[in-house]
Amino acid sequence: MLKRLDADAYTKGVLGGDRVVLSRAITLIESHLEADKPLAQEVLENILPHTGGSVRVGITGVPGVGKSTFIEVFGGFVTALNKKIAVLAVDPTSQLTKGSIMGDKTRMEQLAHNPLAYIRPSPSRQTLGGVAHKTRETILLCEAAGFEVIVVETVGVGQSETVVKNMTDFFLLLMLAGAGDELQGIKRGIMEMADAIAITKADGNNVAASKLAALDYQNALHLYPPNGSGWFAPVLTCSAVNQTGIADLWKIIEKHQEVTKENGFYDRNRQNQNLEWMHSHIKQVLEDRFYENKNVKNWLISIENAVRDGSVLPLRAAIEALAVC
Ligand code: GDP
């Protein structure tokens, strides 16, 4: 393990946009070591006044929809505007399967070499709640390091979309034409969360089908009640291969910022996200404390068989476990 720096060195390095120090600061906040926590906290508090300035974009879609190819091209577009972009990932699969849907392949190779871009994989060995906290803190570090656009990517297969929605300003859903919602595993709730839907791979023989799909989704979105942001999610088609639709999408994101900043939703949303962050952290710590408690551990071991075979009511066992805590 690399020796830790002191809080001042992390702070100065991050604020100076030093990528090596930024990476080391992220490693510090991702650390599971108790000894690292006060230092991580201090660094985060030091950089806090320099955070909040980025456009936070969440991107989701099923494996194979074209997320990494899209982000590669989108990142190229944004950096061509001379803006710095950071790409973070929330990968819910790594904790379940040890492997990872998102991390195993070589991804975004060009963007990885772009001096205006920074790519950081999902924190490992964490619960989804843990990944969420670390990613939020990483957003702050990247903002302090001068990144103006932060993309948080996740696979659209479970709860991680909600997690990413809750830490971003703009949530983009990538969809395939002709695959059908069910086939794509996209639940209604996810469409409802989207600030825009982009039908990917709208190139070659797929152009007409993509346009039709865009119309279908646009009609479907009209059925959802407004979400209070004053924004109506547009549906567009794009192709990472032909690099079409990317500039349109960027315009949509800018427009979304403009509209929501003007009508107050932007600030309200970020304030609510901060509150949600605090509460979810409290829940996480309480849960960890509970399950790490020796009495609880012993009690659970002693009662599990009885709960499994149905001779003790699960609710009764839970109440008693809470009582021994
Ligand atoms: P992810 O799993 O969502 O990150 O998807 P990938 O970016 O890895 O893309 C999955 C496959 O779709 C790859 O074989 C890509 O080459 C292909 N693909 C991605 N974007 C496009 C596109 O715009 N047009 C076409 N025709 N293929 C694409």
Side-chain angles (χ1 to χ4, degrees):
M1 190 175 90
L2 265 175
K3 209 172 154 309
R4 297 288 183 233
L5 306 172
D6 63 27
D8 220 34
Y10 281 116
T11 308
K12 285 204 179 103
V14 169
L15 293 180
D18 181 328
R19 307 157 72 92
V20 175
V21 178
L22 172 64
S23 292
R24 289 181 68 176
I26 297 173
T27 305
L28 171 74
I29 60 122
E30 287 177 355
S31 166
H32 291 264
L33 298 176
E34 277 308 313
D36 283 332
K37 289 186 180 161
L39 182 58
Q41 202 59 36
E42 196 181 341
V43 174
L44 284 170
E45 265 156 23
N46 288 347
I47 56 118
L48 194 63
H50 308 274
T51 63
S54 81
V55 183
R56 302 171 180 171
V57 180
I59 297 186
T60 193
V62 291
V65 72
K67 289 181 297 301
S68 40
T69 319
F70 174 86
I71 294 170
E72 171 103 292
V73 175
F74 180 73
F77 178 86
V78 168
T79 54
L81 300 175
N82 212 20
K83 286 186 190 296
K84 288 172 74 182
I85 183 169
V87 180
L88 316 177
V90 168
D91 185 348
T93 51
S94 49
Q95 8 142 10
L96 297 176
T97 59
K98 306 273 193 273
S100 137
I101 295 186
M102 296 168 73
D104 287 348
K105 53 192 172 173
T106 315
R107 313 172 81 242
M108 303 174 222
E109 256 180 281
Q110 279 177 31
L111 199 58
H113 290 105
N114 186 323
L116 291 179
Y118 178 79
I119 300 179
R120 179 86 186 183
S122 186
S124 55
R125 296 194 301 119
Q126 305 264 356
T127 59
L128 184 55
V131 171
H133 294 309
K134 303 303 173 193
T135 307
R136 281 172 153 138
E137 291 170 357
T138 302
I139 290 176
L140 299 183
L141 287 170
C142 289
E143 286 177 344
F147 288 90
E148 296 147 289
V149 179
I150 301 193
V151 166
V152 186
E153 176 196 9
T154 196
V155 247
V157 291
Q159 295 171 330
S160 61
E161 301 87 339
T162 314
V163 161
V164 171
K165 168 85 180 170
N166 282 344
M167 61 175 83
T168 50
D169 307 317
F170 185 92
F171 193 64
L172 172 67
L173 173 61
L174 299 183
M175 300 274 262
L176 293 164
D181 300 355
E182 275 154 42
L183 206 71
Q184 294 191 54
I186 296 292
K187 300 195 187 68
R188 256 180 79 94
I190 296 173
M191 271 182 64
E192 212 162 341
M193 291 192 302
D195 294 302
I197 295 179
I199 314 293
T200 56
K201 308 190 194 182
D203 45 52
N205 306 338
N206 211 18
V207 174
S210 303
K211 285 196 176 137
L212 266 180
L215 271 178
D216 278 350
Y217 285 122
Q218 192 74 75
N219 288 334
L221 283 179
H222 281 312
L223 303 175
Y224 293 131
N227 65 5
S229 67
W231 175 257
F232 293 94
V235 183
L236 72 161
T237 61
C238 69
S239 161
V241 168
N242 288 352
Q243 310 213 347
T244 51
I246 310 291
D248 296 333
L249 184 75
W250 177 248
K251 267 196 219 124
I252 288 171
I253 294 173
E254 284 187 319
K255 185 78 194 164
H256 177 268
Q257 293 263 309
E258 197 186 300
V259 169
T260 55
K261 278 183 180 172
E262 204 175 285
N263 70 15
F265 180 81
Y266 175 92
D267 284 336
R268 241 179 12 254
N269 187 41
R270 283 207 175 177
Q271 286 160 6
N272 288 338
Q273 288 179 346
N274 281 340
L275 273 184
E276 198 270 338
W277 183 359
M278 176 182 80
H279 285 297
S280 80
H281 191 68
I282 291 172
K283 284 181 201 151
Q284 180 85 43
V285 171
L286 284 177
E287 187 179 319
D288 291 349
R289 262 189 217 159
F290 176 76
Y291 282 104
E292 278 157 22
N293 181 293
K294 238 176 81 197
N295 295 340
V296 171
K297 274 187 187 163
N298 290 338
W299 167 256
L300 288 177
I301 291 168
S302 70
I303 200 73
E304 266 175 3
N305 274 339
V307 172
R308 212 177 273 133
D309 70 22
S311 56
V312 171
L313 204 61
L315 189 64
R316 156 69 51 198
I319 289 169
E320 295 199 7
L322 287 163
V324 299
C325 179

